Amino acid sequence: MLLTPDSSDLTLVTMPVAEIATDLLLLPVFDGESLDDIPGLDERAGGHISAAMTSGEFQARPFEVYLTPLTGWKSARVGLVGAGQRTEFTTERLRRVATAAALAARQRRVTRIAWLVRGDLPPAAAVQASVEGLGLASFSIDRYKSGERGGPPVAEIIIAMPGVASPDLTPAFERGRVLADSCNVARELCNEPPNVLTPRELGERAAAVGRDAGFTVEILDEKELEQRGMGLLLGVGQGSAQPPRMIVLKHTPKGKAASPHVLGLIGKGVTFDTGGISIKPADGMERMKTDMSGAAAVIGAMRAIALLDAPMQVIGVIPAAENMPGGRAIKPADVLTGAGGKTVEVINTDAEGRLILGDGLWYAKELGATHLVDVATLTGAIVIALGRVASGLFGQPSPWVDTVKRSAEVAGDRCWSMPLYDEYADQLKSEIADMINSGGRPAGACTAAMFLKEFAGGLPWAHIDIAGTAWAEESKPWQPKGPTGVAVRTLAELAFTSQSWNPGPQSGSKQ
Ligand code: BES
Ligand code: MN
Ligand code: ZN
């Protein structure tokens, strides 16, 4: 089993480019620039670089790659990687361009590369984004293949920042490496087949990552779920031969916590979603192995939070279940009772994520969390609303949601704010229970979020719907087809921002 991904050997150097010994020296190139800041490069490339720029063979469009041999320098070849307009160069663009560069090297079976950090970003931010991007490219989707495909991961990566003092950059470098590896841990989990990754196994994996990274993991089995009255999680799990679990991950800072707040991260851990009795169509159902991507994001984030020793307490809560039709499965019209006492009339067994998250959110508050964020592949409706380009962000109060949004921006996980109008609650009214679990098709992602809000106990709460972003259905230069590791970096980033949080409306709230 993979705990730490087979991440490449990364080093940070500040020597002149001519002295970097590697097989392929890669560098981002901006639109319209002539590379004068790297004296001798064009000459060492026999004039091919200026020729390619003049002829238009290389135009520096984002992710375009041009390779040519070098003579007289310690690098055998140079690769120009298009980075677009210099004025539009952000950490997000840099991260993606670096991934594209390393993936291009990998496709060509080049295993030793150097990446020259260029552009106008602050050096530490540029180093961190570069390391993240390059590290993300070392992920492999082929562990169940007996042959090898996609090229071996690049084994040796040099990050070059000639002339910049390296001690200042070391923390940024380490941070980038931990974040990339933690994303890859999450991606690995999403990729696992559902016969391997059952709720029990998900707990084992979380425990193994915890042992490695230094956070604690406690797992509630079905008897303990029963004792705590977690009827929503038990209900979803009861149609399966694989029993459900509640997995609890805890990070305590090594020194004194810098903040009285406790961050609660809740991840949807449906290890396979058939829909249950409200069964899904066969076509495409295999993708529902990724319905634990929220859980994977929480495990990946906790890994980074522990390794980087975030200065606040963080509790991860993962309700894990397999949603199956079976003789014991819940039926439309069943009424379940959550651990906090709320009753839910299940009208669609395929709206299972919100049920298990209901118990998860409640439990995070019970364990002492003061601020909540849940991450879930919750609705097909968010894919209709935002496509595969951004996750949907919901929550309240708005300063808390804005804090989460800012962390997402820094992390390069795109989120778009979605509304939670009171009227959406009308779609969840039940004749016999507190709520029904599906508001039907109109505003499906919003009514799902509205359902979750009822379980946040009045705490500041944000919900990230990653149904469209957890798995790339098409390969892009910076992102191969497959699991993306979305939200790992957002959640990790958030655990470093607690000094600026306000307490939310707590006492006096109706919930
Ligand atoms: N796991 C699905 C949502 C999903 C859809 C994830 C596409 C990834 C890609 C969720 O459990 C689900 O089935 N949601 C239903 C809710 C409906 C029954 C109210 C949906 O979106 O159709
Ligand atoms: Mn479902
Ligand atoms: Zn689901």
Side-chain angles (χ1 to χ4, degrees):
M1 190 190 81
L2 185 126
L3 287 180
T4 27
D6 43 354
S7 104
S8 319
D9 180 14
L10 281 151
T11 38
L12 178 64
V13 303
T14 53
M15 61 180 75
V17 267
E19 284 165 34
I20 300 169
T22 186
D23 294 335
L24 177 60
L25 171 68
L26 292 155
L27 51 128
V29 179
F30 302 104
D31 188 32
E33 72 163 339
S34 53
L35 293 171
D36 300 336
D37 58 320
I38 315 175
L41 179 65
D42 189 40
E43 198 186 323
R44 295 287 130 223
H48 285 294
I49 292 178
S50 48
M53 286 177 164
T54 311
S55 70
E57 183 178 343
F58 178 77
Q59 296 176 17
R61 282 191 308 259
F63 317 117
E64 191 186 350
V65 176
Y66 173 81
L67 299 191
T68 189
L70 288 177
T71 50
W73 279 8
K74 287 199 179 154
S75 171
R77 281 194 290 176
V78 65
L80 311 187
V81 189
Q85 298 294 329
R86 190 165 191 134
T87 50
E88 289 169 11
F89 198 57
T90 57
T91 49
E92 187 190 20
R93 171 65 62 81
L94 169 54
R95 195 183 290 110
R96 288 184 171 187
V97 169
T99 305
L103 287 174
R106 204 172 153 178
Q107 269 157 17
R108 292 167 173 85
R109 300 185 178 274
V110 178
T111 56
R112 290 170 71 220
I113 64 171
W115 172 254
L116 187 62
V117 181
R118 300 182 73 237
D120 307 316
L121 296 165
V127 164
Q128 184 182 325
S130 295
V131 178
E132 285 173 21
L134 295 164
L136 289 170
S138 71
F139 177 72
S140 286
I141 194 170
D142 35 9
R143 76 178 287 212
Y144 287 97
K145 289 210 178 257
S146 16
E148 169 223 299
R149 38 161 264 192
V154 177
E156 192 189 296
I157 303 177
I158 296 171
I159 319 264
M161 229 175 154
V164 179
S166 99
D168 304 347
L169 302 177
T170 305
F173 176 85
E174 281 309 321
R175 214 178 155 87
R177 189 215 288 268
V178 168
L179 289 169
D181 286 351
S182 299
C183 277
N184 289 345
V185 165
R187 292 164 86 187
E188 175 81 24
L189 285 169
C190 295
N191 219 25
E192 285 288 37
N195 60 329
V196 173
L197 197 74
T198 59
R200 260 185 303 203
E201 180 64 14
L202 185 61
E204 297 296 318
R205 301 279 179 113
V209 175
R211 277 194 295 277
D212 210 40
F215 59 83
T216 64
V217 177
E218 265 179 67
I219 303 169
L220 306 187
D221 65 18
E222 59 274 36
K223 287 191 201 70
E224 291 160 306
L225 297 178
E226 201 91 54
Q227 281 159 13
R228 285 173 175 76
M230 296 193 180
L232 299 174
L233 176 55
L234 283 165
V236 171
Q238 77 190 36
S240 167
Q242 298 292 341
R245 291 287 182 264
M246 185 68 89
I247 308 164
V248 178
L249 300 68
K250 282 187 188 157
H251 163 73
T252 312
K254 293 206 182 77
K256 192 176 167 300
S259 135
H261 305 309
V262 180
L263 177 61
L265 304 176
I266 301 94
K268 173 177 174 183
V270 172
T271 58
F272 195 75
D273 182 12
T274 64
I277 296 298
S278 314
I279 199 161
K280 289 182 182 293
D283 211 21
M285 198 201 277
E286 69 280 3
R287 202 55 94 221
M288 286 302 122
K289 76 171 183 180
T290 68
D291 213 17
M292 35 54 68
S293 299
V298 169
I299 295 170
M302 288 298 289
R303 179 184 184 276
I305 285 167
L307 288 174
L308 299 171
D309 193 24
M312 70 175 306
Q313 237 184 295
V314 186
I315 304 175
V317 174
I318 297 171
E322 190 182 66
N323 188 22
M324 295 285 278
R328 283 172 34 83
I330 48 169
K331 307 165 289 296
D334 281 0
V335 173
L336 303 176
T337 304
K342 277 197 203 306
T343 57
V344 181
E345 183 184 5
V346 177
I347 57 162
N348 189 323
T349 65
D350 198 9
E352 84 297 341
R354 63 197 76 182
L355 295 173
I356 68 169
L357 287 168
D359 276 340
L361 287 162
W362 176 86
Y363 198 44
K365 184 178 181 191
E366 181 76 6
L367 292 171
T370 60
H371 292 67
L372 305 175
V373 184
D374 77 73
V375 183
T377 46
L378 201 63
T379 66
I382 201 70
V383 192
I384 303 302
L386 301 176
R388 305 195 163 277
V389 177
S391 309
L393 177 64
F394 302 81
Q396 60 156 38
S398 49
W400 174 240
V401 183
D402 290 344
T403 302
V404 176
K405 194 173 170 64
R406 267 195 306 278
S407 290
E409 268 157 24
V410 171
D413 285 325
R414 287 204 194 137
C415 278
W416 190 258
S417 294
M418 299 285 291
L420 274 178
Y421 296 117
D422 289 342
E423 285 87 338
Y424 292 138
D426 299 344
Q427 286 170 249
L428 297 173
K429 288 204 171 118
S430 165
E431 287 161 9
I432 67 160
D434 295 338
M435 276 188 287
I436 53 175
N437 75 328
S438 165
R441 286 170 65 90
C446 303
T447 55
M450 204 66 186
F451 181 96
L452 296 180
K453 181 177 158 230
E454 293 300 316
F455 293 88
L459 294 182
W461 152 78
H463 156 62
I464 310 178
D465 193 336
I466 57 167
T469 48
W471 187 272
E473 294 291 348
E474 274 170 48
S475 86
K476 297 266 162 50
W478 69 88
Q479 166 68 63
K481 204 173 154 178
T484 61
V486 70
V488 170
R489 298 194 306 272
T490 300
L491 299 180
E493 181 64 35
L494 190 60
F496 287 84
T497 63
S498 59
Q499 274 89 335
S500 61
W501 300 356
N502 299 316
Q506 291 188 18
S507 52
S509 132
K510 277 185 298 201
Q511 289 132 351

